[in-house]
Amino acid sequence: MKDVALLAGVSVSTVSHVLNGTRRVDPTTRERVLRAVDSLGYRPNMMARSLRRKGAPLLGLVVPDATNPYFAEVARAVEDRCYELGLSMMMASSSGQPDRERRAVEAMTSHRVGGMIIVGLGFPEEQARVLSGLEIPVVMVDRKIQGLPVDSVQSDNVGGGYLAARCLLDLGHRRIGCICGPRGLGPSEDRLRGFEMALAEEGVPLDPSLVAWGDFTCPAGYELALEMLKDQSLTGIFAMNDLMALGALRAARDLGLSVPADLSVVGFDGISIGRFFVPPLTTVAQPIEEMGAAAVDLVVARMGSGCFEPVTRVINCSLVERSSSAEARPR
C-alpha cells in the first residue's frame, strides 16, 4: 500500500479508503489510486486482513454438477487461484436445482464467506432473487443475468460456435448437424449464433431439421445423434459440449459408422479427458484456467474496494484439432 500511495502521490490512508470503501474519495484521486494499483499489480493480502478481523479467508463456489468434468475443471482453476492468494474455498453443487442452489448460498453466507462465485445455471429469475439481496461480492462464471448487477466471466461463445463450424466447413462439410444445449440458455443461443455466422459466410443454409436441443449430457448427445444420423447426407456434427459429443461418438459407433471417415464430430469445452475419447475429440476449448483465475481476482478486487461498476470479462476460445474430424466424403 505504501508503494501504491507513493506512485499515486497520496497518503496510505487514502489508498486504504479507496480499496475498502470506508470514506468518500475525490473521483480524480480515486482514479489515480486505481491506476497505481493496476500498474503495480497490487492485490490486497486477504489472509492478513482476515487474521486482523479474526476470521478465515473464505470464498464460496457453487457449481451446477460436480460430476460434470467441465465444472470440475472450473472448480479446480478457482481452487488453484485461491491457493495462490492465500484464500480458502467452500464448494457446493446445486445439481441443477434452484432450491438446492438457494440453500447452498444461504449456507455459505452463514459461514461468512467474503465473496461468492456462481458457475452457470439455467434459471436466471430464481438466481436473481437469491443473489440480489447479498451484501458480499458475487461473480458469475459462464453466465450473465440481465438486470443483476454482478461481475461475470465467460468465454466468447459466439466466437466458439464460429470456430466449430469453420473447422467443419474448411474440411469440406456442408451438411452439418448441431446438437445444442438447452433452448433459451445464453451459451446455447450464442454458440448457435456463431455457428450460423460461419455457415452464412459460405452460403450454406442452416437446415432446421439438423438443429436439436439437448441438456449437455452424454445420453442427450447419444439420442439426438441417433435421430440426426438418419439423414444419410449428414457428414458432420457440432455438439455444444464435449459430453454430448461423446454421446454422438457412441451413436455413430452403434450405427456402424466410422469417425472420422464417415462422420466428423466437433465438441465444445476442451475438457482434459477429450484427448482420451476414441477417437480423440476435436473441440473448441474454453479458457477454463483463465476464467477461474479471473473470477477469483474479481471477487478479491470487490472485497478490497467494491466501488466500481459491474465488469464482464469475455475470454477467447481456441480450436483444438484432433482425430474426430477429417475431410468430408459421402457416406
Side-chain angles (χ1 to χ4, degrees):
M1 288 180 68
K2 289 180 181 178
D3 292 336
V4 171
L6 182 63
L7 182 59
V10 300
S11 67
V12 172
S13 63
T14 297
V15 174
S16 178
H17 288 310
V18 170
L19 296 180
N20 293 297
T22 50
R23 193 187 73 185
R24 187 183 181 280
V25 177
D26 176 82
T28 302
T29 303
R30 179 177 176 277
E31 181 62 28
R32 199 161 68 244
V33 170
L34 292 177
R35 282 201 302 268
V37 166
D38 288 340
S39 176
L40 294 171
Y42 171 74
R43 292 291 179 270
N45 188 328
M46 303 310 299
M47 175 69 80
R49 179 176 298 175
S50 297
L51 290 174
R52 286 198 300 271
R53 295 177 180 176
K54 298 182 180 179
L58 184 65
L59 292 187
L61 172 67
V62 181
V63 298
D65 182 2
T67 66
N68 183 313
Y70 168 69
F71 296 125
E73 291 186 23
V74 171
R76 177 59 184 270
V78 169
E79 184 180 35
D80 286 348
R81 186 60 173 158
C82 285
Y83 179 79
E84 292 173 2
L85 297 178
L87 300 166
S88 296
M89 185 184 83
M90 176 182 184
M91 189 180 83
S93 172
S94 69
S95 298
Q97 299 176 27
D99 185 60
R100 288 187 63 164
E101 186 196 43
R102 177 184 57 79
R103 291 175 62 184
V105 169
E106 290 173 351
M108 289 181 178
T109 53
S110 70
H111 281 80
R112 299 191 180 279
V113 296
M116 199 173 301
I117 296 171
I118 311 290
V119 184
L121 295 165
F123 29 89
E125 291 183 3
E126 292 87 345
Q127 278 188 314
R129 280 196 295 270
V130 170
L131 301 179
S132 59
L134 294 182
E135 296 180 354
I136 58 173
V138 175
V139 174
M140 303 288 296
V141 174
D142 210 22
R143 298 288 188 279
K144 182 178 180 180
I145 299 177
Q146 295 299 323
L148 187 64
V150 301
D151 298 321
S152 67
V153 176
Q154 50 195 308
S155 64
D156 180 5
N157 287 298
V158 175
Y162 178 91
L163 286 176
R166 192 72 261 168
C167 170
L168 291 167
L169 290 166
D170 289 347
L171 290 170
H173 297 273
R174 292 299 180 268
R175 290 288 288 172
I176 305 170
C178 186
I179 300 178
C180 306
R183 190 188 298 269
L185 199 64
S188 303
E189 302 288 349
D190 287 346
R191 291 170 196 176
L192 181 60
R193 184 151 53 96
F195 179 80
E196 289 183 87
M197 287 168 54
L199 293 184
E201 284 184 353
E202 294 294 322
V204 177
L206 180 67
D207 186 340
S209 70
L210 297 182
V211 177
W213 299 89
D215 62 2
F216 288 140
T217 65
C218 289
Y222 178 79
E223 295 296 338
L224 294 172
L226 282 179
E227 184 64 27
M228 199 172 279
L229 287 167
K230 291 178 180 177
D231 185 333
Q232 296 295 314
S233 65
L234 185 73
T235 61
I237 286 179
F238 166 44
M240 285 192 184
N241 81 332
D242 289 346
L243 291 184
M244 292 195 298
L246 177 58
L249 291 176
R250 178 57 188 264
R253 180 178 177 179
D254 286 357
L255 291 172
L257 299 176
S258 173
V259 176
D262 301 318
L263 176 74
S264 287
V265 177
V266 176
F268 198 108
D269 279 344
I271 57 177
S272 58
I273 62 172
R275 66 185 187 275
F276 298 110
F277 290 176
V278 180
L281 182 66
T282 294
T283 184
V284 175
Q286 298 200 68
I288 295 174
E289 292 185 7
E290 190 175 351
M291 290 167 66
V296 175
D297 288 348
L298 278 172
V299 169
V300 169
R302 286 292 190 191
M303 291 167 70
S305 63
C307 299
F308 47 87
E309 291 298 312
V311 172
T312 298
R313 283 203 59 189
V314 179
I315 308 175
N316 291 335
C317 299
S318 59
L319 180 68
V320 180
E321 294 187 75
R322 299 194 183 106
S323 305
S324 69
S325 56
E327 292 186 4
R329 69 179 193 182
R331 280 204 269 145

